[in-house]
């Protein structure tokens, strides 16, 4: 045999030592993985119970109806607000001109 193919006892001992370290590390990692899996939140499967689906669907439909009612009410209030603002502006304009007319009337006396 050639010298390059001969493995010494020291090389063999170092090889087994590294192999033991790798096995210990793999074992420690496996324990960590098991701990993480055990403490992780349960995974949700792709299916939902039919009763739960119906309950959620009913609640969502109810909420949608309420939201639509609120949107209608908001639109009505915004329209009322616009009308009242225009009416207020018109009344303020009238008051302004009435004061001016009253002032001129009092000055003429």
């Amino acid at each position: 045999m050639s010298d390059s193919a001969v493995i010494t006892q020291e090389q063999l001992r170092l090889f087994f030592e590294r192999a033991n370290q790798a096995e210990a590390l793999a074992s420690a990692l496996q324990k960590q993985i098991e701990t993480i899996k055990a403490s992780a939140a349960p995974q949700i499967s792709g299916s939902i119970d039919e009763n739960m689906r119906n309950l959620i669907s009913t609640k969502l439909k109810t909420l949608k109806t309420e939201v639509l009612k609120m949107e209608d009410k908001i639109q009505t209030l915004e329209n009322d607000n616009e009308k009242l603002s225009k009416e207020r502006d018109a009344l303020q304009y009238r008051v302004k001109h009435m004061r001016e007319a009253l002032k001129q009337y009092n000055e003429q006396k």
Side-chain angles (χ1 to χ4, degrees):
M1 283 191 179
S2 68
D3 289 335
S4 64
V6 176
I7 299 176
T8 64
Q9 287 290 346
E10 182 63 22
Q11 290 173 330
L12 194 57
R13 185 186 64 76
L14 291 174
F15 174 77
F16 280 116
E17 188 176 304
R18 286 195 309 267
N20 286 336
Q21 288 173 351
E23 284 181 18
L25 181 59
S27 176
L29 289 173
Q30 184 63 34
K31 287 179 184 176
Q32 286 181 351
I33 290 170
E34 289 171 7
T35 303
I36 291 170
K37 283 183 179 179
S39 66
Q43 297 297 320
I44 297 175
S45 64
S47 64
I48 297 176
D49 180 38
E50 192 64 31
N51 292 333
M52 181 62 81
R53 182 189 313 264
N54 291 336
L55 177 65
I56 291 171
S57 177
T58 303
K59 287 188 177 196
L60 285 173
K61 287 177 184 176
T62 303
L63 286 173
K64 182 178 180 181
T65 303
E66 288 180 28
V67 167
L68 290 173
K69 286 179 184 177
M70 287 181 155
E71 286 176 345
D72 287 343
K73 188 172 183 177
I74 288 170
Q75 186 62 44
T76 301
L77 290 172
E78 286 176 348
N79 291 340
D80 289 347
N81 187 34
E82 186 176 339
K83 288 177 188 175
L84 290 171
S85 294
K86 287 179 180 179
E87 185 179 340
R88 180 201 62 212
D89 292 343
L91 290 172
Q92 285 176 341
Y93 179 81
R94 285 182 64 194
V95 166
K96 176 184 172 188
H97 287 282
M98 288 180 140
R99 284 184 180 161
E100 287 292 323
L102 185 62
K103 183 178 175 185
Q104 288 176 2
Y105 175 76
N106 285 335
E107 287 175 357
Q108 287 178 356
K109 280 185 155 184

